[in-house]
Amino acid sequence: MSQVSKLRMGFREAAIRGYIPEHLADKLTMMTILEAGIQAFHKGYFKDLLDQNLEKSREQRISNREGWDMALAAQDALLDDITGVRWAHRQTETLTTSDFALALAYTRDAAQKPGYAPYESELLKVARTRTVANFKPIKARGATNLLHRFLALRPEATNVLYTGFIGQGDFYSVANYELAIAYTWEMYVNDEIGEFVDAMEELGEAAARTRAWSVIDAIARMVPRVPLLDGELGPTIQNILAIQADMAEQTVDGRFVARTLTDLYLPATWSSLASVVLNSQQLGYTGGGSGPAVGQPTTNPVYKAATPHSEPLMAEIFAAGPEGNPRYNDPAAGYAELSPKDWVALDRGARPLEISYLEGFQSGPKTYTKAPDVVELNHGAFENHTFAVKVGDVHGATVADKTAIRIAQAS
């Protein structure tokens, strides 16, 4: 007997015994399958964080069911997109209990804390986050807007000095990103629950990549590039020093601005090299085969100068161009002459990156279910036999401070 048949038989038996209304047995069967897909999606997006909260929810339910119910009610605002799934649970609460809803609420709450990012990108962890109420253009928070860099000394009995500001930040907007996966009547007949669940988990990973893409795309289009003399050698001591010097000595509107290199974001090609270069305190001896001995410093000048981060998705995006379109040499797209070996340097303290979320999407994407009103699983639904889960996320990213970030060009 197939998995679907066993599940359907269980709900029909419950209807015969009077636990649930008979006409809901087939619809609850399908909603249970869709919930498995929704849980798999969030597993793909949140990874271990969801697993940890599933265990937390389970332990709370076993030890204190009343407290579990109260916690679920208190987290209602974080679960507005899974109304259909929770309806199904209310119909079957005498038959089964799922820890998923509360676990998802705990997970989304944790994901709103500063420094959290999906597993795909380290760059997201250093981006300044904002929440917006609509799709109107947003003015990025530039870091060099004030006319005065410091507070002014006010002598006794004199009036306060008023400063001014210049709106230097660029405008950008959040945008809606969506994909859906159908669970068709044919998949039901073929007992393809596992394939549907696996696809939903991959969709969760795609949603995580999309948030990372937003930030990396902004970097590709907006960040100043530094052509290095020996860029093809990667993050060597000399190249890191060149980036340090470029960030430390720059001028914006006639004002000298100094930034400190704190972090490197690297394609897989350079991860090992950067780790060795930045973490080796002493340099090795070279040369000396003939001629007079010449004293050379042996201390590494970039030892611990920055923290290296692996960012493999960055190389893929730099190589493929905007939204995966292989036209990265198109100047109009802002991707011209980028290389999958380019790397990014920034001053974390200046927070040069900014990502905004539409209200309600701060903690991650949302899922929506499509279930026809008439459900007769042996013959499909009335019109097109299709159930589906749609995933939506609304965000946008920009580079708010171009003085604090660079693309080091490999060629």
Side-chain angles (χ1 to χ4, degrees):
M1 183 181 294
S2 70
Q3 290 179 288
V4 173
S5 296
K6 289 179 181 179
L7 182 61
R8 184 170 182 247
M9 183 178 293
F11 280 116
R12 288 192 170 275
E13 180 69 21
I16 292 171
R17 294 177 180 275
Y19 295 126
I20 60 173
E22 184 174 355
H23 70 282
L24 292 179
D26 281 359
K27 189 167 186 177
L28 289 173
T29 300
M30 187 54 66
M31 291 302 295
T32 302
I33 294 171
L34 294 180
E35 186 206 346
I38 291 170
Q39 182 168 331
F41 167 80
H42 288 97
K43 164 67 175 174
Y45 183 84
F46 289 111
K47 295 299 183 184
D48 292 343
L49 182 59
L50 180 63
D51 286 337
Q52 294 165 11
N53 284 310
L54 280 168
E55 182 63 22
K56 176 182 176 180
S57 177
R58 186 189 72 84
E59 292 177 354
Q60 187 173 352
R61 173 177 53 80
I62 293 172
S63 62
N64 182 6
R65 179 54 191 260
E66 183 178 354
W68 185 89
D69 289 334
M70 292 176 63
L72 185 56
Q75 299 283 3
D76 191 67
L78 292 170
L79 301 170
D80 60 324
D81 58 320
I82 58 170
T83 304
V85 170
R86 296 180 70 191
W87 167 86
H89 282 314
R90 284 192 290 271
Q91 301 298 317
T92 62
E93 60 186 1
T94 59
L95 307 176
T96 182
T97 301
S98 170
D99 299 308
F100 169 62
L102 183 57
L104 179 59
Y106 283 148
T107 302
R108 285 177 168 175
D109 184 58
Q112 295 185 63
K113 294 178 171 56
Y116 173 79
Y119 74 101
E120 282 287 354
S121 176
E122 290 290 313
L123 280 162
L124 274 171
K125 295 180 180 179
V126 297
R128 183 201 309 268
T129 60
R130 298 173 64 180
T131 302
V132 297
N134 50 50
F135 291 88
K136 294 179 180 179
I138 312 159
K139 189 66 173 291
R141 293 173 176 168
T144 57
N145 290 348
L146 287 181
L147 298 181
H148 294 78
R149 293 290 304 279
F150 310 100
L151 299 183
L153 175 66
R154 186 178 70 86
E156 183 178 355
T158 61
N159 292 331
V160 65
L161 174 68
Y162 285 84
T163 191
F165 59 90
I166 303 170
Q168 292 184 343
D170 294 300
F171 282 99
Y172 69 107
S173 300
V174 298
N176 186 27
Y177 300 91
E178 293 186 349
L179 279 179
I181 290 182
Y183 186 83
T184 63
W185 179 51
E186 290 79 3
M187 295 174 71
Y188 163 77
V189 172
N190 292 337
D191 193 31
E192 294 176 346
I193 295 179
E195 289 83 349
F196 172 68
V197 168
D198 289 345
M200 287 297 299
E201 184 169 350
E202 289 187 30
L203 189 58
E205 295 171 352
R209 283 193 292 273
T210 304
R211 287 202 168 188
W213 169 84
S214 293
V215 172
I216 297 171
D217 172 72
I219 290 172
R221 290 184 290 103
M222 303 174 70
V223 168
R225 303 175 187 182
V226 180
L228 299 168
L229 183 62
D230 295 309
E232 73 280 3
L233 300 179
T236 61
I237 292 174
Q238 289 71 27
N239 286 338
I240 293 174
L241 288 172
I243 295 294
Q244 274 187 326
D246 189 78
M247 293 178 66
E249 302 174 5
Q250 51 190 311
T251 302
V252 178
D253 294 332
R255 175 191 297 171
F256 180 79
V257 178
R259 297 298 187 197
T260 301
L261 172 63
T262 63
D263 295 82
L264 303 184
Y265 296 85
L266 305 140
T269 303
W270 304 129
S271 291
S272 297
L273 173 63
S275 181
V276 171
V277 169
L278 291 167
N279 293 308
S280 298
Q281 190 168 4
Q282 301 296 323
L283 300 177
Y285 288 102
T286 59
S290 62
V294 179
Q296 297 288 342
T298 60
T299 300
N300 181 0
V302 298
Y303 173 64
K304 300 295 185 182
T307 302
H309 306 270
S310 180
E311 196 74 22
L313 187 62
M314 184 174 69
E316 295 181 29
I317 294 172
F318 281 5
E323 298 188 68
N325 187 351
R327 56 185 182 93
Y328 67 86
N329 282 316
D330 179 3
Y335 277 67
E337 307 305 328
L338 282 177
S339 160
K341 291 187 177 182
D342 291 349
W343 41 285
V344 170
L346 60 78
D347 182 346
R348 176 189 293 256
R351 304 182 72 183
L353 304 174
E354 181 173 302
I355 185 166
S356 291
Y357 303 107
L358 186 67
E359 181 69 43
F361 291 87
Q362 305 95 304
S363 56
K366 294 182 178 294
T367 55
Y368 311 91
T369 54
K370 172 188 173 185
D373 292 334
V374 180
V375 180
E376 296 169 347
L377 288 182
N378 281 347
H379 303 284
F382 184 78
E383 291 185 353
N384 62 11
H385 297 190
T386 300
F387 297 78
V389 176
K390 181 180 78 171
V391 173
D393 198 6
V394 185
H395 53 80
T398 191
V399 178
D401 183 359
K402 299 181 182 66
T403 70
I405 185 167
R406 295 289 187 274
I407 292 177
Q409 297 210 267
S411 59

